[in-house]
């Protein structure tokens, strides 16, 4: 090969060699953005070296050989440029899509092959010849249709990459302005140079100054990397780290205007897709947070809780405020970290509720054991002692007959107590089944009334039931039976002699309303408030009948298990009415 070197070819070969070295140096650092920058330097190095050798060639065939090598760099340079800009902007997902990357690589390979095979189709260059009218021989190129299309594609990638840089650096912190300006300025140089070449402004004949301009571009970016520590100070990494953090970050100036934020901040807005965050008063995003803004006015660092409305609903936040005074980086800025406390508060509330429930259950357990130890043991001991006295002939039959009514009451009390303890304990077991079915309410009421007639007759209490046949309900019949039994037992217990108990049933808002009313002694207001809590103290009946206070707790539990409810109305001295709301059809989603 015959070469005639000139100042332009030597400059390109020299700068290309330097870029070749730096491309290897940058690539081996194994950092994403820097590696792509190294590939971009490699593309420009190939273009510069080959163009330098083309300018030093004296024959057309030799120049065409180096033009083919040039296009390896020319076609890969815009690809590397846009990948570099996408990485800086944090938009790697765009080119990681298989179709997008395939198109970019496909265009690069296709154009390169068109140049290499141009002599067969002349699509890229219509013609070229060696022009020897200038200072040194240069190839004169006549562009073809493929050349023009590639030029448009070249400008498209160059423009898109430049837009990404400007858009990214425009919202970056002022601390990075030196490197930002150097990169943006570097991105503009090839535009100016190549447009001038296309428009025919060629101060050195047919010499294409575009590779020179790209050399300048890479030089300025290299300054930003190694002088301003573009990837050490790392505005790009800073933005990526902030975006990966789940907590919201907000930076405001001394006038409470937003000057920076991360993506996590958007989830606390009523409009997460808002495009007017930068420059907006922070009061716009946190209205009615008087304590928060009073804290900001003090220009002190600290924490304060906020309760705001976001698109996803009410949110509890902890704002960690860091005010940067004159001894810090920037005395006009305040950094606010927003941590979502909603989940923690819900967990805390749930834990508190569970603690209260466990506390109540533990108290109830202690009470049940106390009842078993005292109230259950007492009647059994009395019965045992009487039986011993009879067997030892210590009392007569007549004396036993006098004691039998008392013993009978004790046995009935003990039976009711054991039954309630058993039913409540079973209801607390996990997996305790409910056998819901349709049944006739009247039949069940009649059976319970008949069961209680003896105890009602002993106090001359009249039970009147006015439930029509065919009133069908849907529930666990045994549970509803236990509820009615407890209520009737209580009504008789608190009735005076000659009182009346009325039982009625009517349809009410899709349920059966069963009412059991008496005109007995009634319930005091202070006792009424804690009637179903299990912590009420048992009250003696009108004839000194004993009770445990467990029955109504069992009633409430069983009604809720059957998707029903129980309420009470009472006036002390005038009587009490219990209302049972029983489903008549299966509740949605329940069996």
């Amino acid at each position: 090969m015959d070469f005639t070197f000139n100042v332009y070819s030597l400059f390109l070969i020299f700068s290309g060699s330097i870029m070749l070295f730096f491309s290897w140096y940058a690539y081996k650092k194994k950092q994403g953005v820097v590696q792509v920058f190294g590939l971009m330097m490699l593309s420009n190095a190939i273009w510069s070296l080959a163009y330098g050798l083309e300018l030093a060639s004296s024959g057309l065939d030799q120049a065409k050989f180096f033009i083919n090598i040039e296009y390896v760099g020319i076609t890969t340079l815009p690809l590397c440029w846009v990948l570099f800009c996408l990485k800086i902007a944090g938009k790697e997902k765009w080119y990681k899509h298989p179709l997008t990357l395939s198109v970019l690589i496909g265009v690069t390979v296709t154009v390169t092959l068109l140049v290499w095979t141009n002599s067969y189709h002349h699509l890229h260059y219509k013609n070229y010849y060696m022009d020897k009218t200038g200072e040194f021989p240069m190839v004169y190129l006549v562009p073809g249709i493929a050349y023009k299309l590639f030029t448009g594609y070249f400008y498209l990638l160059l423009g898109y990459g430049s837009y990404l840089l400007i858009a990214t650096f425009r919202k970056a912190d002022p601390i990075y302005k030196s490197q930002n300006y150097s990169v943006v300025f570097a991105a503009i140089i090839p535009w100016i140079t190549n447009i001038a070449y296309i428009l025919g402004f060629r101060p050195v004949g047919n010499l294409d100054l575009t590779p020179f301009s790209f050399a300048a571009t890479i030089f300025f970016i290299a300054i930003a990397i190694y002088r301003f520590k573009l990837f050490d100070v790392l505005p790009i990494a800073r933005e990526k780290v902030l975006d990966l953090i789940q907590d919201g970050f907000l930076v405001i100036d001394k006038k409470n205007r937003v000057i920076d934020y991360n993506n996590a901040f958007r989830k606390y807005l009523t409009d997460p897709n808002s495009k007017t965050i930068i420059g907006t008063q922070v009061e716009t995003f946190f209205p009615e947070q008087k304590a928060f803004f009073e804290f900001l006015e003090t220009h002190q660092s600290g924490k304060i809780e906020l309760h705001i409305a976001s698109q996803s609903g009410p949110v509890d936040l902890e704002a960690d405020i860091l005010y940067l005074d004159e001894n810090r980086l920037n005395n006009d800025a305040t950094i606010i970290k927003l941590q979502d406390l909603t989940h923690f508060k819900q967990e805390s509330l749930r834990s508190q509720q569970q603690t209260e429930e466990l506390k109540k259950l533990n108290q109830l357990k202690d009470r049940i054991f106390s009842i078993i130890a005292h109230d259950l043991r007492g009647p059994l001991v009395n019965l045992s002692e009487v039986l011993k006295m009879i067997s030892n002939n210590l009392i007569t039959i007549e004396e036993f007959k006098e004691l039998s009514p008392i013993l009978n009451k004790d046995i009935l009390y003990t039976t009711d107590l054991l039954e309630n303890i058993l039913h409540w304990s079973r209801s607390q077991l996990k997996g305790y089944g409910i056998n819901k079915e349709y049944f006739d309410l009247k039949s069940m009421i009649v059976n319970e009334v008949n069961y209680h007639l003896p105890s009602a007759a002993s106090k001359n209490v009249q039970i009147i039931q006015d439930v029509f046949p065919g009133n069908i309900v849907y529930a666990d019949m045994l549970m509803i039976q236990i509820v009615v039994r407890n209520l009737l037992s209580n009504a008789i217990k608190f009735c005076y002699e000659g009182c009346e108990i009325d039982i009625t049933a009517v349809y009410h808002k899709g349920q059966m309303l069963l009412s059991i009313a008496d005109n007995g002694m009634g319930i005091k207001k202070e006792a009424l408030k804690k009637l179903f809590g299990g912590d009420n103290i048992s009250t003696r009946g009108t004839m000194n009948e004993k009770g445990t206070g467990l029955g109504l707790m069992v009633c409430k539990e069983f009604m809720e298990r059957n998707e029903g409810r129980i309420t009470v109305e009472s006036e002390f001295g005038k009587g009490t009415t219990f209302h049972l709301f029983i489903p008549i059809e299966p509740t949605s989603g329940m069996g």
Side-chain angles (χ1 to χ4, degrees):
M1 290 186 177
D2 188 16
F3 295 104
T4 304
F5 294 99
N6 52 70
V7 63
Y8 301 104
S9 62
L10 290 174
F11 174 81
L12 287 173
I13 293 171
F14 175 73
S15 62
S17 300
I18 293 176
M19 283 189 286
L20 193 63
F21 169 75
F22 277 109
S23 68
W24 168 79
Y25 179 77
Y27 190 82
K28 77 171 186 175
K29 290 181 75 69
K30 296 183 179 179
Q31 297 178 16
V33 180
V34 179
Q35 278 191 334
V36 178
F37 177 73
L39 293 175
M40 187 168 65
M41 291 182 72
L42 176 63
S43 297
N44 201 77
I46 294 171
W47 187 0
S48 296
L49 284 168
Y51 191 43
L53 293 172
E54 177 200 334
L55 294 178
S57 299
S58 55
L60 183 60
D61 290 338
Q62 184 176 330
K64 286 168 59 178
F65 173 77
F66 288 113
I67 289 174
N68 290 341
I69 297 176
E70 284 174 45
Y71 262 86
V72 174
I74 292 173
T75 55
T76 55
L77 185 58
L79 172 62
C80 293
W81 167 255
V82 79
L83 294 181
F84 171 74
C85 296
L86 284 168
K87 272 192 170 290
I88 285 185
K91 298 184 180 295
E92 294 95 331
K93 289 183 179 179
W94 188 87
Y95 71 79
K96 285 184 178 179
H97 192 281
L99 180 61
T100 304
L101 194 59
S102 299
V103 170
L104 290 173
I105 295 175
V107 171
T108 301
V109 173
T110 300
V111 173
T112 304
L113 291 176
L114 284 174
V115 173
W116 290 355
T117 59
N118 188 74
S119 58
Y120 298 102
H121 48 72
H122 299 286
L123 290 174
H124 198 80
Y125 294 123
K126 290 182 179 180
N127 191 20
Y128 34 62
Y129 59 87
M130 188 65 74
D131 181 10
K132 298 183 179 181
T133 58
E135 297 180 24
F136 51 88
M138 283 189 290
V139 178
Y140 182 81
L141 303 169
V142 180
I145 182 66
Y147 179 93
K148 294 176 181 178
L149 290 174
F150 175 69
T151 301
Y153 167 80
F154 191 102
Y155 276 123
L156 179 65
L157 294 190
L158 192 64
Y160 180 60
S162 301
Y163 162 76
L164 289 175
L165 285 182
I166 294 170
T168 301
F169 292 146
R170 183 170 57 85
K171 64 178 183 180
D173 197 287
I175 190 176
Y176 308 116
K177 62 183 180 181
S178 298
Q179 56 265 46
N180 296 352
Y181 292 156
S182 64
V183 173
V184 172
F185 176 71
I188 294 173
I189 295 175
W191 277 89
I192 299 173
T193 306
N194 199 256
I195 290 173
Y197 179 78
I198 295 296
L199 294 176
F201 181 74
R202 303 174 182 180
V204 190
N206 292 318
L207 183 66
D208 185 359
L209 296 178
T210 304
F212 294 88
S213 66
F214 265 105
T217 293
I218 292 177
F219 172 74
F220 279 108
I221 293 178
I223 290 177
I225 293 175
Y226 297 104
R227 169 64 181 85
F228 297 117
K229 306 296 182 184
L230 179 63
F231 303 115
D232 293 337
V233 176
L234 231 50
I236 300 97
R238 159 194 162 274
E239 291 175 5
K240 286 189 176 183
V241 168
L242 284 178
D243 286 343
L244 287 172
I245 294 175
Q246 297 299 313
D247 295 333
F249 275 85
L250 190 64
V251 183
I252 60 176
D253 62 13
K254 60 183 178 181
K255 294 183 180 180
N256 287 349
R257 295 174 301 189
V258 178
I259 58 176
D260 200 3
Y261 64 95
N262 69 339
N263 283 336
F265 169 67
R266 288 183 173 273
K267 64 186 177 184
Y268 304 130
L269 304 180
T270 52
D271 180 16
N273 298 319
S274 174
K275 296 182 179 179
T276 56
I277 297 178
I278 298 294
T280 302
Q281 292 288 329
V282 73
E283 289 92 340
T284 305
F285 306 117
F286 302 114
E288 301 178 3
Q289 301 294 327
K290 185 178 179 182
F292 173 62
F293 295 113
E294 287 178 351
F295 194 95
L296 289 177
E297 288 174 4
T298 63
H299 298 296
Q300 294 180 356
S301 301
K303 297 180 180 181
I304 189 169
E305 290 191 7
L306 308 175
H307 183 76
I308 65 169
S310 68
Q311 188 187 44
S312 58
V315 179
D316 291 302
L317 299 176
E318 180 185 71
D320 190 353
I321 301 169
L322 177 63
Y323 175 68
L324 303 178
D325 58 26
E326 64 272 11
N327 296 321
R328 301 288 184 90
L329 191 60
N330 188 334
N331 62 353
D332 292 333
T334 301
I335 300 174
I336 304 171
K337 186 186 82 167
L338 300 168
Q339 184 179 10
D340 192 344
L341 300 180
T342 307
H343 176 71
F344 297 107
K345 285 203 169 187
Q346 290 174 346
E347 287 296 322
S348 176
L349 181 61
R350 190 178 295 113
S351 177
Q352 186 177 355
Q353 290 172 343
Q354 289 175 346
T355 301
E356 289 297 323
E357 289 176 5
L358 288 173
K359 184 179 178 182
K360 287 182 179 180
L361 287 173
N362 194 50
Q363 291 173 346
L364 188 57
K365 176 204 70 176
D366 293 341
R367 183 175 175 192
I368 289 173
F369 279 126
S370 175
I371 291 169
I372 292 172
H374 183 267
D375 293 4
L376 188 61
R377 181 175 175 273
L380 293 176
V381 169
N382 291 340
L383 179 60
S384 175
E385 290 299 322
V386 170
L387 292 174
K388 281 182 182 179
M389 293 171 71
I390 291 173
S391 63
N392 294 327
N393 296 317
L394 296 177
I395 61 173
T396 64
I397 298 300
E398 287 74 18
E399 288 174 327
F400 176 74
K401 287 181 179 180
E402 291 178 4
L403 292 172
S404 62
I406 299 173
L407 293 175
N408 185 54
K409 285 182 181 180
D410 284 347
I411 291 171
L412 287 175
Y413 164 76
T414 304
T415 303
D416 289 341
L417 174 60
L418 282 173
E419 191 172 80
N420 281 326
I421 291 175
L422 176 63
H423 288 308
W424 181 84
S425 301
R426 288 180 64 194
S427 71
Q428 299 304 304
L429 295 174
K430 288 186 178 179
Y432 177 69
I434 300 179
N435 184 26
K436 291 185 180 182
E437 59 183 334
Y438 292 100
F439 65 90
D440 184 9
L441 187 61
K442 181 178 177 65
S443 299
M444 187 269 291
I445 294 295
V446 170
N447 289 335
E448 286 305 308
V449 169
N450 291 334
Y451 176 82
H452 285 87
L453 281 178
S455 58
S458 67
K459 296 181 74 171
N460 195 25
V461 172
Q462 187 177 8
I463 302 176
I464 302 172
Q465 64 88 12
D466 190 18
V467 179
F468 290 103
N471 283 345
I472 305 300
V473 295
Y474 183 78
D476 187 312
M477 188 173 70
L478 178 60
M479 286 187 171
I480 302 301
Q481 185 179 350
I482 292 167
V483 172
V484 172
R485 182 172 297 179
N486 270 288
L487 295 181
L488 279 176
S489 178
N490 277 347
I492 296 169
K493 174 182 172 183
F494 294 108
C495 270
Y496 300 102
E497 285 197 23
C499 280
E500 186 177 284
I501 300 173
D502 294 308
I503 305 173
T504 59
V506 295
Y507 286 101
H508 177 77
K509 296 182 179 180
Q511 290 183 312
M512 184 67 68
L513 172 56
L514 176 65
S515 301
I516 300 175
D518 67 72
N519 55 355
M521 63 186 295
I523 306 170
K524 293 180 179 180
K525 287 185 178 180
E526 55 269 21
L528 199 62
K529 294 178 181 178
K530 50 185 180 179
L531 198 60
F532 297 107
D535 56 351
N536 58 306
I537 299 172
S538 176
T539 307
R540 292 272 179 169
T542 55
M543 294 183 68
N544 204 34
E545 299 99 327
K546 291 191 294 184
T548 64
L550 292 178
L552 291 179
M553 185 184 65
V554 172
C555 292
K556 180 176 182 292
E557 177 81 18
F558 281 8
M559 290 305 298
E560 290 177 352
R561 292 288 294 273
N562 282 277
E563 312 303 321
R565 59 192 177 95
I566 180 172
T567 62
V568 61
E569 298 174 6
S570 184
E571 186 174 350
F572 188 68
K574 291 188 178 181
T576 304
T577 302
F578 283 92
H579 299 291
L580 302 179
F581 296 85
I582 310 171
I584 59 176
E585 294 290 346
T587 306
S588 177
M590 304 298 295

